[in-house]
Amino acid sequence: MSLRKLSVLVLLTLACGAAGAVERVERGNLVLENMPEIPPALTERLEQYQNTRSAGFASWLNDGGILVTTRFGDTSQVHRVSQPLGARYQLTFFPEPVSNASVPPDPELNGFVYSRDVGGNEFYQLYWFDFASGESTLLTDGKSRNTGPAWSNRGDRFAYASTRRDGRNYDIYVASPQQGHDAHRMVLEGEGLWVPMDWSPSDDRLLVINYRSITDSKIFVVDLESGEKTQVFPQDEPVGFGGAAFDHTGDAVYVIHDHGGEFKQLYRLHLESGKSTPLSAGIPWDVSSLALTRDRTRLAFVTNEGGMSRLYMRDVKRDRELPVPDLPVGLVGGLAFKPDGHALAMTLNTPQSPSDVFVYEFTGRKLVRWTESEVGGLDTSEFPVPGLVSFESFDGLEVPAWLYLPQGEGPHPVIIQIHGGPEAQSRPGFSSTYAYWVNELGAAVISPNVRGSSGYGKSYLQLDNGPLREDSVKDIGALLEWIESRPDLDAERVIVYGGSYGGYMVLASMMHFDERLLGGVSIVGISSFATFLENTEAYRRDLRRAEYGDERDPEMRAIMERISPLNNADKIRSPLFVAQGYNDPRVPYTESEQIVAAVRDNGVPVWYLLAMDEGHGFAKKPNRDYFQAATVMFFRQLFAGELAE
C-alpha cells in the first residue's frame, strides 16, 4: 500500500469513528449513514453544473408543433413547442418524471398518451392527456408494468404490453384512449417479454418481438382477427433483433438483425418468399434505430460507429439514398418524420452541447434548431472533448475507452467511470458531471468499454457471459496497468465509479485491486449475483439469467458465490461510498445494504446514501444534486487526504 493511500485511509477512519459505529441521519426522503455535512462553499460552483438542462424529442403534433420532455422543476415533464426556438409550454406537472409522450395520428383525438411510475418503481402506467381540459386519465390498471403505445395507422387504437395477468409475463393488448383498462383486448398471451413494434398498413396485423436477450429474440406477425402468429425470419441459431417495421405494401418488413455477421444490419425482408435485401451493407457497425414516414416511402436509420452516431436516409420506393444534414460529431436519437413526411425530427447531443431537438427540413435541406437548453451560465466550449484510446487486456484483447483530460501536464488523479448494462456502451455525449470533475477537480476521467459492452460486435458482447464474468474485471486490472504507463496520469490516485452493473464492477475492482485504488463509488450496484437474481422483479429475472447465468444451477451458483463481492468483502479495505434507491425494481436496495454492512466490518469508512423516493438511480433533482455534491466531497477528500480536517 502506498504511503499516500495509507494516510488517506487513516484520516477517513478517524473521521468516521470506530468500526461498527453508524451515524444515521434522515433528511426528508434521504437517509444518510456516516456522511459528513457538505459545506456550502463546495456546492456554490457545483450548482452551475447541476443546472444545465436538456430536451428530448417526444412526438410530432398534428398541427406541425412538437412535444418534448425537459425539466424546469425537480423532474422531467412534457412540454409543447409550436415553432423553432419557441416557448416551451409545460403540460404535465408531477413530482414523478414523465418518461415519454405519444400523439395519435388521428387529429380528432386531441391529446396524447404518456407514461409515469411512482418513486422510481418502474411499474409504468399509461395516461391520456386531453389538450382541451388539461386533464389526465389513467388508461391501465394502476398496478402492473406497461410499455409505451404503438399507434395504429388510423390512430384510433394503440397496442401495448402489460404484466397485468400474472406480474411476470407480458401480454399484448389493443385499446383506444376512450376505454378503461377492463375493456382493453388481449391479442397475444405471452411468456416472457413481448412488445408490439408496428401495425401493418391495413391495421389488421401487428409486428411484435419476443425479447430473450440482446443476442436472442424472435419477431412475429400477429393476425388481430384470428390471433394467429407467424414467425418472421426463423433460424436454427439465436438472432439478435433490433427495430422492425412494415413496408408500404404490408408484404415485407424492415428488420435490424445480426444473423450472419457480427453487427446488427438493416434488411428488407419479404414475408412470403423470405427474400432478404440488405440496406446497410458496407457499414461495419450496428444499426441502432430506424424510422419511416407515415406513407412508408422514406426511411431513416442511425448507426453506432465506434460510439458516435451517423444518420442515413433512403427513398425506399425508388431504392436510392437521400441526402442528410451535416451533423456534429456526437449522438443522434429520437428519430421521427413529420406527419406530412417533409421533415425529420431528432435529438442531438455532443460533448459540448446537451440534448436538444433539431428538425431536418427536406425543402431547402436545412437543419433547424427547435430547442436551446440552458447550461447554467457556463461556457460549454470549455467542456472536455474525450479522445478515443485503447489498452491491451490480459489475453491480448484490445479494449476501447474514452479519455477526458484536464488542462496541464499532470500527473492528474483519475476517475474510472464504468458503465452499467453490462450490454451497454460508454459514448461521447454531454456530461456536466464529467465536466465538473475534469475542469474543477482537475481529474482525468476514463470510461472503458470492457468486454461485454455493446457496439463492437456480438462476439465482443458475449465475452463476459456466465462463467466468464470476471474477465471483464480483469480488463480493469489491465486499465490500471495502462494508467501506470502514462506520465500524465497519477496511478497513486485512482478511484472507481459506476452504477448498476457498473456498481458491481466497482465492488469487484476493489475486491481484486484494492491496493491500487483510493476508493470507489457504487450506485445501485450488484453485490451478489445469486441474491440479486433471487430478489430482482419477477418480470426481468429470466432476462438477467440469460446474461449472468442461472443461480438455480449448482455449478453456476458456485461460480456466483466465488466471485461475489459480498462473499469477498474482507478484501475491500479502501473507503466506499454506496448510493441506492429504496424502490429499485432492478437491483433491490438489499444489494447495497448487505455490502455496506459487510465492508464496515473491515473497519474502513463506508458512506451510505439511501433515497426513499427513488428507484434505479436518482431521477429527482434535489436527490441527484445532493448525491453529486457528496460524491465531489468524497473525491476531494480521497485525492487530497484532507477528510479529517
Side-chain angles (χ1 to χ4, degrees):
M1 181 182 294
S2 70
L3 181 61
R4 183 184 310 182
K5 178 175 177 179
L6 180 61
S7 66
V8 171
L9 183 56
V10 169
L11 289 169
L12 283 165
T13 304
L14 291 173
C16 288
V22 177
E23 180 183 347
R24 185 181 179 94
V25 176
E26 295 186 11
R27 180 174 297 167
N29 287 310
L30 298 178
V31 179
L32 322 175
E33 290 186 1
N34 287 359
M35 295 183 62
E37 287 290 326
I38 298 174
L42 183 148
T43 61
E44 186 174 342
R45 177 64 168 166
L46 178 60
E47 284 177 350
Q48 281 190 276
Y49 289 83
Q50 292 173 330
N51 279 296
T52 58
R53 293 193 177 98
S54 63
F57 178 83
S59 188
W60 281 101
L61 295 164
N62 288 301
D63 64 3
I66 63 173
L67 296 182
V68 304
T69 54
T70 190
R71 178 195 57 77
F72 278 90
D74 291 342
T75 59
S76 181
Q77 300 293 319
V78 179
H79 295 68
R80 181 175 192 158
V81 182
S82 298
Q83 62 187 18
L85 297 179
R88 290 157 289 182
Y89 181 75
Q90 189 166 342
L91 299 174
T92 61
F93 298 82
F94 298 109
E96 305 294 345
V98 176
S99 56
N100 58 60
S102 182
V103 176
D106 182 0
E108 296 299 317
L109 292 175
N110 191 30
F112 61 89
V113 173
Y114 66 90
S115 300
R116 179 164 54 89
D117 72 349
V118 176
N121 66 7
E122 298 187 15
F123 284 89
Y124 295 106
Q125 303 304 313
L126 301 183
Y127 296 82
W128 173 255
F129 180 92
D130 182 76
F131 280 124
S133 65
E135 295 180 350
S136 292
T137 303
L138 177 65
L139 298 176
T140 44
D141 66 355
K143 299 177 292 185
S144 58
R145 177 179 167 90
N146 304 278
T147 67
W151 286 101
S152 66
N153 295 279
R154 288 189 295 272
D156 58 333
R157 296 173 294 165
F158 62 90
Y160 70 100
S162 176
T163 63
R164 60 189 275 192
R165 175 169 53 89
D166 62 6
R168 181 185 184 91
N169 298 296
Y170 287 80
D171 306 318
I172 295 180
Y173 294 82
V174 169
S176 75
Q178 297 90 351
Q179 294 175 318
H181 69 88
D182 289 336
H184 297 183
R185 182 168 73 95
M186 183 193 295
V187 297
L188 184 147
E189 183 175 311
E191 181 176 345
L193 176 57
W194 291 76
V195 180
M197 306 179 80
D198 193 25
W199 294 67
S200 65
S202 55
D203 283 344
D204 59 353
R205 291 169 294 157
L206 274 180
L207 194 60
V208 303
I209 186 170
N210 175 209
Y211 183 92
R212 300 179 182 186
S213 75
I214 195 170
T215 57
D216 183 10
S217 50
K218 296 181 179 180
I219 289 181
F220 296 82
V221 173
V222 178
D223 186 294
L224 293 178
E225 184 175 347
S226 68
E228 180 183 356
K229 63 179 186 290
T230 304
Q231 187 175 352
V232 175
F233 197 60
Q235 299 295 322
D236 294 332
E237 60 186 39
V239 178
F241 283 95
F246 282 100
D247 79 345
H248 69 282
T249 68
D251 297 327
V253 293
Y254 299 106
V255 292
I256 299 169
H257 67 72
D258 62 8
H259 178 69
E262 280 292 315
F263 295 94
K264 287 184 168 74
Q265 299 291 311
L266 176 62
Y267 300 85
R268 181 181 181 272
L269 180 69
H270 195 274
L271 292 172
E272 185 174 343
S273 69
K275 180 183 177 183
S276 183
T277 305
L279 299 178
S280 61
I283 304 173
W285 299 102
D286 282 333
V287 176
S288 55
S289 62
L290 72 112
L292 285 163
T293 53
R294 285 191 182 177
D295 65 5
R296 302 174 188 264
T297 60
R298 285 191 179 190
L299 179 149
F301 64 93
V302 173
T303 55
N304 173 357
E305 304 190 1
M308 294 166 284
S309 296
R310 185 171 177 182
L311 175 67
Y312 298 82
M313 196 159 58
R314 294 186 66 87
D315 181 329
V316 291
K317 218 170 183 182
R318 296 177 175 85
D319 191 27
R320 61 186 178 92
E321 285 195 28
L322 295 172
V324 295
D326 184 18
L327 300 178
V329 174
L331 310 181
V332 179
L335 294 184
F337 284 96
K338 194 174 181 180
D340 63 10
H342 294 159
L344 177 68
M346 66 195 78
T347 303
L348 298 183
N349 175 299
T350 79
Q352 294 185 329
S353 59
S355 291
D356 269 311
V357 179
F358 291 76
V359 172
Y360 178 49
E361 297 177 353
F362 304 151
T363 303
R365 298 181 184 177
K366 296 183 296 183
L367 185 67
V368 179
R369 185 173 197 142
W370 273 66
T371 64
E372 187 168 13
S373 295
E374 295 81 1
V375 289
L378 298 167
D379 179 4
T380 59
S381 68
E382 298 296 320
F383 278 28
V385 175
L388 182 61
V389 299
S390 66
F391 57 92
E392 185 177 306
S393 195
F394 69 97
D395 56 358
L397 181 73
E398 284 293 316
V399 178
W402 295 100
L403 175 61
Y404 300 75
L405 279 174
Q407 294 183 350
E409 295 182 1
H412 308 290
V414 179
I415 300 166
I416 300 175
Q417 193 280 333
I418 310 171
H419 68 70
E423 313 104 320
Q425 183 185 23
S426 289
R427 303 181 68 184
F430 182 84
S431 173
S432 59
T433 299
Y434 292 0
Y436 183 90
W437 294 349
V438 173
N439 291 350
E440 306 298 332
L441 295 184
V445 177
I446 304 175
S447 294
N449 282 308
V450 297
R451 69 190 67 209
S453 301
S454 60
Y456 306 98
K458 62 185 179 185
S459 295
Y460 194 88
L461 188 67
Q462 298 177 87
L463 288 177
D464 68 340
N465 284 4
L468 303 176
R469 181 59 45 205
E470 284 206 317
D471 284 356
S472 61
V473 183
K474 293 177 184 177
D475 290 342
I476 300 300
L479 175 57
L480 291 171
E481 293 176 3
W482 181 84
I483 290 170
E484 289 180 0
S485 72
R486 298 266 306 207
D488 55 344
L489 302 179
D490 188 348
E492 294 287 317
R493 293 189 294 166
V494 180
I495 298 172
V496 281
Y497 174 102
S500 192
Y501 176 77
Y504 158 75
M505 290 290 287
V506 165
L507 298 172
S509 297
M510 296 178 72
M511 176 179 112
H512 285 285
F513 314 117
D514 186 81
E515 295 289 323
R516 297 153 72 180
L517 298 170
L518 281 182
V521 180
S522 170
I523 309 115
V524 297
I526 299 168
S527 59
S528 165
F529 287 111
T531 58
F532 157 72
L533 288 168
E534 289 170 344
N535 296 311
T536 193
E537 281 290 342
Y539 63 79
R540 63 189 312 276
R541 195 167 293 141
D542 286 339
L543 297 173
R544 294 294 78 203
R545 284 172 176 151
E547 168 67 29
Y548 299 130
D550 194 330
E551 83 287 0
R552 298 166 299 184
D553 176 74
E555 290 186 13
M556 191 65 237
R557 179 88 181 205
I559 294 173
M560 290 179 176
E561 298 289 0
R562 175 174 56 80
I563 69 174
S564 164
L566 179 64
N567 293 342
N568 293 275
D570 61 307
K571 299 175 183 176
I572 299 177
R573 298 282 172 174
S574 300
L576 176 64
F577 180 15
V578 175
Q580 177 71 47
Y582 180 76
N583 302 314
D584 192 340
R586 306 188 201 185
V587 181
Y589 77 96
T590 49
E591 289 296 303
S592 288
E593 300 245 320
Q594 63 191 13
I595 196 65
V596 165
V599 176
R600 277 184 181 150
D601 284 344
N602 298 335
V604 297
V606 180
W607 295 7
Y608 182 40
L609 172 62
L610 179 66
M612 302 303 294
D613 59 341
E614 298 280 11
H616 197 63
F618 291 178
K620 298 180 174 70
K621 188 176 187 299
N623 298 338
R624 188 168 60 249
D625 286 355
Y626 183 87
F627 164 69
Q628 290 175 339
T631 300
V632 167
M633 183 166 64
F634 188 73
F635 286 168
R636 282 185 173 178
Q637 292 165 345
L638 283 178
F639 286 147
E642 298 174 350
L643 191 80
E645 294 182 3

